[in-house]
Amino acid sequence: MLKRIASGLILLLCASPSGYGQLVFNNLDEVWQYANSHNVAIKNAGTELRKGEKTVTQSYLDILPDINATGTYTDNLSIQTTFIPAVIFGGPEGVYRAVQFGQKYAYNAGFTAQLDILNLQTWYNVKIARETAALNKASLANTRRNTWQQLAGQYYGYVLNRHAVDIAELSTRVADSLLASVKNKYDEGVASLPNVDAAQLNSERARQTLITASYQMRTTLNALKALLGLSVSDSVVIKEQFIWRVQTKMMSSPFTEDPSVSLSARQVSLNNARLKASNVAAYPTISIVYSNSTQQFDNTFRPFDNAGPQWFPATYWSLRASWSVFNGGNRWLLSQKNKLSWMQSREDAAQAKRQADINDENLRLNFEKAADL
């Protein structure tokens, strides 16, 4: 708890608003920390992770027994007539007498409890829920990595474009000063008209370069705002300045493993769990059932009268086994489909590992190139 409070205070101090709607960032680390709490993609990935954790809890609760309470009130508007041999009542043989059994009102109340003592499908549902939660965790890391890469590109793009604007402004002032000087020389008869035209062209080029750099700086800043969940009217101040040197010190702890590799590995585990769950669907389910109920019959409507007829209890327990012998082949087809998904995810995981190695090598080469330039 103290660690969360301290982290929040550090974030507020580092990326604190210096005015209404204004955020100040000193470096890329502070931008990343702010994005962890405000970027929509990262927030949605975090929500999916929390939903997955709730699903795990729900899967464990499904193992608990099901307890259902019931209450029934029946009003027999007309009691069914049954014909029985009249000989029972002392009548002649071959003659049937119409009689009615039962009473007008019937009340029933009770509860039933069922516990599955063998249900492999339930346990594999727990496995699937846990693998899904792990997959969501890896997906959050992958989303954070991708978002951080986008933020780094827009952040340093803005810093470079801002530096380009400074250079363009300086070039514009130099070009304007040179144009004025050439015009004075032309008036004095020292410079020629082509010299004036060349100076005028250089001044116009410098102005166009300044306009282009200004628009690029503003668009990269707007892209950065979008990634941070800000509106176009929010003010963002980046204090980091462009420096002509290679920064070899890590600003943050790097990912110990490429999140895309972890994500693909978790997908393999999830598909494997689904395959096993579809295979065990053919096994029987064995349950213990306990029922306790009581009922009352009366020709007078008085359900809450203690002086009414006697309540008759009915209690039983049973051991129940159910087995889906044939369901049209759907179970077999589902197992085959899950097997193909599992095999496909294994191929994807292998390719993700190869691609991650290539990306790491290219990143190392780009770093060495930047250091040599």
Side-chain angles (χ1 to χ4, degrees):
M1 185 66 181
L2 293 176
K3 184 178 181 181
R4 291 184 179 179
I5 296 175
S7 301
L9 291 175
I10 292 175
L11 179 59
L12 289 175
L13 291 175
C14 294
S16 60
S18 57
Y20 180 77
Q22 184 180 75
L23 289 173
V24 179
F25 298 103
N26 296 303
N27 51 53
L28 181 59
D29 264 339
E30 295 177 5
V31 174
W32 283 344
Q33 294 303 318
Y34 184 87
N36 285 341
S37 302
H38 297 84
N39 178 266
V40 175
I42 295 178
K43 290 171 63 178
N44 289 341
T47 301
E48 290 298 324
L49 175 59
R50 292 190 293 273
K51 289 167 58 178
E53 293 172 348
K54 298 296 183 182
T55 304
V56 172
T57 303
Q58 180 184 3
S59 64
Y60 277 108
L61 294 178
D62 288 340
I63 302 176
L64 299 177
D66 293 333
I67 301 177
N68 300 307
T70 59
T72 305
Y73 157 70
T74 304
D75 184 353
N76 295 308
L77 300 178
S78 60
I79 300 177
Q80 182 179 1
T81 301
T82 302
F83 291 91
I84 62 175
V87 68
I88 299 178
F89 303 98
E93 294 185 1
V95 179
Y96 291 87
R97 180 177 177 179
V99 296
Q100 292 179 328
F101 294 98
Q103 294 178 291
K104 181 174 177 54
Y105 301 104
Y107 313 94
N108 183 284
F111 71 91
T112 302
Q114 177 175 334
L115 175 63
D116 294 338
I117 58 177
L118 177 61
N119 190 341
L120 298 181
Q121 190 69 49
T122 301
W123 286 105
Y124 272 101
N125 288 340
V126 174
K127 176 67 173 177
I128 292 175
R130 293 175 59 182
E131 292 294 344
T132 302
L135 178 69
N136 292 337
K137 185 177 181 180
S139 178
L140 173 60
N142 189 60
T143 301
R144 183 183 292 118
R145 189 276 307 269
N146 294 336
T147 303
W148 282 12
Q149 287 181 342
Q150 297 177 36
L151 285 167
Q154 299 300 333
Y155 177 87
Y156 285 116
Y158 171 76
V159 173
L160 290 173
N161 288 328
R162 185 179 60 187
H163 184 66
V165 169
D166 295 338
I167 295 177
E169 289 177 347
L170 179 60
S171 298
T172 301
R173 290 194 297 268
V174 171
D176 291 342
S177 177
L178 181 60
L179 176 61
S181 176
V182 172
K183 285 183 176 180
N184 292 334
K185 295 294 183 181
Y186 177 77
D187 294 338
E188 296 174 358
V190 178
S192 62
L193 185 60
N195 296 133
V196 176
D197 293 339
Q200 183 71 37
L201 181 60
N202 290 333
S203 177
E204 182 62 23
R205 287 176 177 174
R207 188 184 68 83
Q208 292 179 358
T209 301
L210 176 60
I211 293 175
T212 302
S214 298
Y215 275 101
Q216 289 178 346
M217 180 186 67
R218 292 167 61 183
T219 54
T220 52
L221 183 61
N222 287 337
L224 184 63
K225 290 180 181 180
L227 290 172
L228 294 176
L230 301 174
S231 64
V232 68
S233 60
D234 290 327
S235 177
V236 175
V237 176
I238 306 297
K239 288 191 173 183
E240 184 169 348
Q241 299 296 322
F242 178 81
I243 51 176
W244 289 97
R245 65 182 178 86
V246 178
Q247 184 170 351
T248 57
K249 180 181 179 182
M250 289 290 183
M251 293 179 297
S252 291
S253 298
F255 292 97
T256 56
E257 185 182 15
D258 191 329
S260 62
V261 176
S262 300
L263 181 62
S264 58
R266 287 300 179 184
Q267 187 65 57
V268 173
S269 299
L270 176 59
N271 288 340
N272 187 33
R274 289 173 175 172
L275 173 60
K276 293 181 178 179
S278 60
N279 290 336
V280 301
Y283 287 82
T285 299
I286 301 178
S287 308
I288 294 179
V289 180
Y290 174 80
S291 177
N292 191 325
S293 63
T294 182
Q295 53 188 352
Q296 182 190 64
F297 303 94
D298 197 356
N299 285 321
T300 303
F301 183 74
R302 45 180 178 178
F304 304 105
D305 190 352
N306 294 329
Q310 178 183 356
W311 287 85
F312 298 95
T315 305
Y316 72 88
W317 77 271
S318 64
L319 187 64
R320 180 183 302 171
S322 59
W323 194 344
S324 177
V325 179
F326 179 73
N327 64 346
N330 291 331
R331 184 171 58 241
W332 179 81
L333 291 175
L334 178 61
S335 177
Q336 293 299 308
K337 185 177 69 173
N338 289 335
K339 183 178 180 180
L340 292 175
S341 298
W342 173 63
M343 296 172 61
Q344 181 182 14
S345 61
R346 291 180 62 187
E347 293 292 335
D348 293 339
Q351 178 59 30
K353 181 63 172 64
R354 291 190 293 266
Q355 186 63 49
D357 293 338
I358 293 175
N359 293 340
D360 291 343
E361 177 64 16
N362 290 338
L363 183 61
R364 185 187 64 83
L365 294 175
N366 289 332
F367 182 83
E368 292 178 355
K369 174 185 174 182
D372 294 337
L373 291 177

